Amino acid sequence: MQDIRIELREDKREKPQDMSKVKFGKTFSDHMFLMNYDSQKGWHDARIVPHGPIPMDPGAMVFHYAQEIFEGMKAYRTESGAIQFFRPFENIRRMARSGERVSMPAMDEDMFMEALKKLVEVDKEWVPSEEGTSLYIRPFMIATDVGLGVHASDSYLFCILTCPVGSYYPEGINPIKILIEDQDVRAVRGGTGYAKCGGNYAASIRASVRAGKKGFSQVLWLDGVERKYVEEVGAMNIMFKIDGKIYTPELNGSVLPGVTRKSSIELLKDWGYEVIEKLISVDELVEAAKAGKLEEVWGTGTAAVVTPVGWLTYKDETFEVEGGKIGEVTQKLYDGLTGIQWGKVEDTRDWIVTI
Ligand code: COI
């Protein structure tokens, strides 16, 4: 494994007084990790440097053809003051799969983990301890070859940023309003839906802006082929409790394989719930809601954690779920997952990596 050069910042930056109040993703810690790749040298020049601008040629390919991938993960401070990651190798491996989809090189897994540990160690004072807070970690990779021909870049920059965060939605753990989007689509089968690449998110912004103007927090995407099956929310996967059973859209190639989704399914099954991964049509959902069988809806994601959905709107019809309150399973899942993440519940599954 390569050594990581560390260049500490000299100026002292003010930390927010109460980290639970910072706007998600707006306050960055003191340092960032950088590493370069090219086909001659492979991965090289691993370094932790002060967080700041990256000098780039405007002809770099990432600016033109969006050859870019990213991840979202978190480090948590436990009550004893220790710092731990939640299933980091799931993110590391998903980033490699995303990279494969857009022809970008994978990072060595142990090197990636070492970079995460060192960076968080250097900025450990930025790992918050207030209730509901964590250090959000954003690894990303961009194509740096200069030129306007469309082809795979020969050189890449890998970077890890970190930010102290509270909740992703201003609502916190209170239920949010979701609009089922019936105009734009986010991804199609054979496309990049399962990969965490910036282009997927760019494609989602127009619908989110439209929905935001109408008071919705986010949109729930329908499949890009028939516009019939629900897929995901973009910032989170979606789960429904219908008539006592838990349903979530199957991973059909256009849905992101969420780490929180996977962990939620594993926990729910361990607790004895029946969890069914399948294509779920919007008609089925509407029917269940009208029959009073749509008992709970929630989203799962690293940033979103477990977020209850209190209202679902489809074509001007709104269905209130669980009286607009957080449901029992949603709360149990939130407590179960965050309990493990913050070290309040024993980790019996080997999900935790400490630094
Ligand atoms: C995450 O949950 O970490 C994500 O990457 C979603 C992002 C849109 C905030």
Side-chain angles (χ1 to χ4, degrees), residues 189-190 223 231 250-255 279:
R189 238 135 302 149
D223 75 277
E231 298 217 315
E250 66 184 32
L251 300 177
N252 59 355
S254 47
V255 172
L279 293 177

Side-chain angles (χ1 to χ4, degrees), residues 141 183 245:
M141 197 194 298
Q183 297 170 53
K245 295 180 187 155

Side-chain angles (χ1 to χ4, degrees), residues 24 70-73 136 138 168 196 201 234-235 301-304:
F24 185 93
F70 69 95
E71 266 306 321
M73 53 206 298
Y136 186 75
R138 170 53 58 86
Y168 182 69
K196 213 158 169 58
Y201 294 78
T302 299

